[in-house]
Amino acid sequence: MSELDADIDDVVVPAELIKAKTADLAKQIDADYGDREPLLVGVLKGAVMFMSDLARALERPSTMEFMAVSSYGSSTTSSGVVRILKDLDRDIAGQHVLIVEDIIDSGLTLSWLLKNLAARQPASIEVVALLRKPDAVKVHVPVKYVGFDIPNEFVVGYGLDYAERYRDLPYIGRLKPEVYSS
Ligand code: PRP
């Protein structure tokens, strides 16, 4: 029990389901990549929890890089104008890049990121996202691995924040509206 639980209306994806789905996705990725070693590119900060659990669920070795981007807009929606806050530490040319995202909402961040990383000539580039919202279908982004499609509600936990808090919750939950309207 965390004191943050009191701010959650209901659980959208419980911790055990996140764990089981992560294991499933890891199995698919292991099978698809064969002896190709994926370079996991995590998008800070939301993807940190999923990335660390996914890397440990993969049977095959992988390497990690992180990128931080910021989209202009309000705290609960994104505008599609993306700025790099932290770039990758190394060249990804010839690497099998697997972008790891916690959530695809409008899809704008990912669509920008795919173009940006594809221009660096990786051998391949794919996306794994734990969560996807219905709006994501409006911007076409090819996402090979998706954990859960969730309703268009404001959710927090397991990496997702509201005002930088709630990332440490082990599950995904719907925040009580009074928390963000106050
Ligand atoms: C979130 C999330 C994705 C992006 C998805 O990041 O981690 O990167 O928004 O939204 P989109 O599909 O509408 O573009 P955020 O900018 O909130 O940063 P954070 O991960 O540091 O919380």
Side-chain angles (χ1 to χ4, degrees):
M1 255 320 243
S2 150
E3 67 184 73
L4 297 176
D5 293 337
D7 292 346
I8 302 300
D9 247 348
D10 59 309
V11 175
V12 176
V13 190
E16 312 78 70
L17 270 190
I18 297 175
K19 196 171 175 204
K21 185 64 81 175
T22 304
D24 266 11
L25 292 168
K27 209 176 250 180
Q28 286 177 49
I29 294 166
D30 273 327
D32 291 351
Y33 278 74
D35 55 9
R36 297 178 299 150
E37 188 175 277
L39 165 59
L40 308 179
V41 172
V43 187
L44 294 171
K45 301 171 213 159
V48 162
M49 307 292 176
F50 180 46
M51 173 115 156
S52 86
D53 285 340
L54 180 70
R56 284 176 289 183
L58 288 169
E59 264 184 24
R60 295 176 187 277
S62 60
T63 58
M64 288 185 188
E65 281 292 322
F66 291 95
M67 215 165 153
V69 298
S70 150
S71 56
Y72 295 96
S74 72
S75 59
T76 54
T77 58
S78 61
S79 62
V81 185
V82 176
R83 171 166 70 104
I84 297 180
L85 301 178
K86 183 218 171 291
D87 207 341
L88 304 176
D89 292 336
R90 57 179 155 130
D91 185 13
I92 57 166
Q95 299 280 325
H96 295 284
V97 170
L98 181 58
I99 300 177
V100 182
E101 263 288 23
D102 49 340
I103 189 164
I104 310 173
D105 191 341
S106 67
L108 293 167
T109 305
L110 197 53
S111 134
W112 180 90
L113 203 59
L114 270 168
K115 272 188 215 127
N116 184 287
L117 296 183
R120 305 183 197 196
Q121 263 111 47
S124 66
I125 184 161
E126 298 292 353
V127 179
V128 54
L130 180 65
L131 306 169
R132 182 172 59 185
K133 282 191 175 178
D135 277 354
V137 300
K138 292 183 193 159
V139 183
H140 179 72
V141 203
V143 183
K144 187 153 188 189
Y145 310 97
V146 180
F148 303 95
D149 281 304
I150 58 163
N152 207 356
E153 294 168 333
F154 190 62
V155 291
V156 295
Y158 198 68
L160 295 162
D161 76 309
Y162 168 64
E164 296 301 328
R165 302 187 75 222
Y166 306 97
R167 295 193 200 272
D168 46 344
L169 280 175
Y171 57 85
I172 311 282
R174 198 152 51 88
L175 198 58
K176 288 182 175 164
E178 59 261 38
V179 176
Y180 53 87
S181 57
S182 61

